[in-house]
């Protein structure tokens, strides 16, 4: 089966929406459990200006992680995980389902899809997941991750106790619209991420499949993981400034009378004047270390679960194969 076709193995029908939903959700859950600590480190690096204000050197990602674990306990690295797990299952389900749907819309009559069409399918899928799930999830996640409290000290009570409480508090104090603060930047980041991610993944998958003895056979999981790792690293380097501004935008409430565009411009100008160009790429190391392995896990688990579910769908109760 070519990677540049919407058809299933052996020219069969493409995977069902239910298959994509279940496989995508399962892959997202595994990714979050494996890689969330790196995301917490990335957010802290993007938000921290304390060391620069004191005239000290910037903390690297290892030092930041050690400091979090030391001051807030190792569980501090998993702050915001509840919000991520709540959102990542529908996020990944929507990502893969919408991507496959957009691919079928943009494919040629013979079922093949060009590089440009694949890029657009990834772009649309990224925007879809951003608006549907990612933006509200990240507002809650960032509020939780930004809190500097010890999770091992019951007397150290933070403003936001958990994901549900943070969501309720944000809506109560700032209105429902606060959950969609930075939605434009989030959609731009997710769109460019998934456009680059799916394009790189498809091209690499096609190359490896053509080099197999049987080009129609699925790739082994270790190969899927490697190309997922490579494709996952492409997006973060191209849109790091967008992600950094978005993180700072979502951390704090909006000033009265200030527009979304005005806040974006103000944050960008402040970063440029006070911290320099390098600030726009703060947290790029842990972000790549978070996203790239995350995509390796995601694609490997997704392809595996998709294959298992499709085999189950093709078998009748009497173990007879159904075309």
């Amino acid at each position: 089966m070519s990677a540049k076709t919407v058809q299933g193995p052996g020219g069969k029908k493409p995977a069902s929406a239910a298959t994509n939903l279940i496989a995508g959700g399962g892959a997202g859950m595994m990714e979050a459990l494996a890689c969330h600590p790196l995301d917490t480190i990335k957010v802290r690096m993007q938000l921290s200006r304390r060391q620069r204000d004191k005239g000290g050197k910037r903390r690297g990602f290892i030092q930041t992680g050690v400091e979090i674990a030391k001051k807030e306990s190792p569980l501090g690295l998993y702050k915001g995980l509840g919000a991520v797990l709540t959102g990542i299952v529908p996020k990944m389900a929507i990502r893969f389902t919408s991507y496959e749907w957009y691919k079928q819309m943009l494919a040629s009559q013979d079922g093949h899809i060009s590089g440009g069409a694949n890029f657009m399918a990834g772009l649309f899928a990224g925007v879809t997941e951003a608006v549907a799930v990612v933006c509200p999830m990240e507002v809650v996640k960032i509020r939780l991750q930004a809190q500097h409290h010890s999770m091992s000290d019951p007397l150290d009570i933070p403003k936001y106790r958990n994901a549900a409480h943070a969501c309720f508090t944000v809506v109560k104090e700032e209105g429902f619209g606060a959950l969609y603060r930075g939605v434009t930047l989030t959609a731009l980041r997710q769109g460019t991420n998934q456009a680059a991610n799916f394009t790189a993944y498809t091209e690499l998958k096609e190359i490896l499949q053509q080099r197999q003895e049987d080009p129609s056979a699925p790739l082994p999981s270790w190969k899927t993981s490697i190309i997922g790792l490579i494709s996952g690293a492409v997006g973060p380097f191209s849109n790091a400034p967008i992600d950094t501004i978005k993180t700072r935008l979502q951390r704090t409430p909006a000033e009265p009378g200030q527009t979304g565009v005005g806040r974006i411009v103000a944050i960008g100008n402040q970063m440029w004047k006070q911290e320099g160009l390098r600030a726009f790429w703060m947290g790029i190391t842990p972000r790549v270390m978070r996203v790239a392995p995350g995509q390796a896990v995601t694609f490997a688990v997704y392809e595996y679960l998709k294959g298992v579910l499709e085999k189950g769908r093709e078998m009748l109760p009497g173990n007879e194969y159904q075309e």
Side-chain angles (χ1 to χ4, degrees):
M1 176 188 62
S2 172
K4 296 184 178 181
T5 180
V6 296
Q7 297 175 339
K12 298 183 181 70
K13 291 182 179 180
S16 66
T19 294
N20 289 320
L21 285 169
I22 296 171
M29 184 180 296
M30 291 300 297
E31 184 225 11
L33 292 173
C35 304
H36 187 74
L38 290 169
D39 187 69
T40 299
I41 296 172
K42 180 211 73 170
V43 169
R44 287 294 180 86
M45 290 181 69
Q46 290 177 329
L47 294 178
S48 179
R49 295 196 299 265
R50 292 177 300 164
Q51 288 295 105
R52 185 174 177 84
D53 292 340
K54 294 178 182 178
K57 294 182 179 180
R58 294 182 186 273
R59 288 191 299 270
F61 75 92
I62 294 178
Q63 186 180 357
T64 301
V66 170
E67 184 175 285
I68 293 172
K70 184 178 180 180
K71 293 184 178 180
E72 305 169 40
S73 86
L75 289 176
L77 293 168
Y78 283 91
K79 286 181 179 178
L81 179 61
V84 174
L85 286 175
T86 302
I88 201 164
V89 173
K91 167 188 168 182
M92 289 299 184
I94 289 170
R95 173 185 296 179
F96 284 102
T97 304
S98 62
Y99 170 68
E100 294 295 337
W101 186 72
Y102 289 129
K103 271 178 64 178
Q104 293 178 38
M105 283 184 59
L106 298 170
S108 60
Q109 292 184 349
D110 62 359
H112 285 78
I113 184 166
S114 65
N118 191 50
F119 181 89
M120 294 306 298
L123 180 68
F124 294 152
V127 172
T128 300
E129 70 175 17
V131 176
V133 179
V134 177
C135 191
M137 178 188 75
E138 291 209 340
V139 170
V140 173
K141 175 181 71 73
I142 288 170
R143 295 295 179 92
L144 290 166
Q145 289 174 322
Q147 297 182 131
H148 295 264
H149 70 284
S150 174
M151 297 186 73
S152 61
D153 184 358
L155 299 179
D156 190 359
I157 302 174
K159 179 179 180 179
Y160 307 116
R161 295 192 295 271
N162 51 51
H165 180 254
C167 182
F168 175 79
T169 303
V170 170
V171 172
K172 181 181 178 181
E173 295 181 353
E174 304 170 44
F176 182 79
L179 293 176
Y180 279 89
R181 183 165 298 132
V183 65
T184 302
L185 289 176
T186 303
L188 183 60
R189 185 200 66 179
Q190 292 301 115
T192 53
N193 260 352
Q194 299 318 313
N197 187 21
F198 279 115
T199 300
Y201 181 81
T202 302
E203 295 295 333
L204 290 171
K205 183 178 179 181
E206 175 73 8
I207 292 171
L208 291 181
Q209 281 187 322
Q210 294 304 317
R211 293 185 177 183
Q212 293 187 133
E213 291 185 6
D214 181 7
S216 63
L219 294 174
S221 295
W222 68 270
K223 287 187 178 180
T224 304
S225 296
I226 291 174
I227 58 178
L229 183 75
I230 297 171
S231 66
V234 176
F237 283 106
S238 63
N239 58 22
I242 297 172
D243 187 58
T244 303
I245 295 174
K246 177 201 70 67
T247 299
R248 297 198 182 188
L249 180 74
Q250 292 176 327
R251 179 193 183 188
T252 56
E255 297 293 332
Q258 192 175 32
T259 65
V261 175
R263 291 194 70 204
I264 292 170
V265 173
I267 291 171
N269 286 336
Q270 184 183 44
M271 290 173 62
W272 174 264
K273 293 177 181 178
Q274 297 182 3
E275 303 171 66
L277 181 64
R278 186 181 174 187
F280 291 93
W281 273 268
M282 281 298 294
I284 185 62
T285 300
R287 187 181 173 209
V288 171
M289 290 185 66
R290 163 70 174 86
V291 174
Q295 290 307 299
V297 173
T298 297
F299 277 113
V301 174
Y302 172 76
E303 297 281 13
Y304 173 77
L305 291 177
K306 182 179 177 182
V308 171
L309 291 169
E310 284 301 288
K311 285 181 181 179
R313 191 178 68 146
E314 292 167 354
M315 297 300 294
L316 290 173
N319 284 333
E320 296 177 8
Y321 187 78
Q322 180 182 20
E323 289 289 347

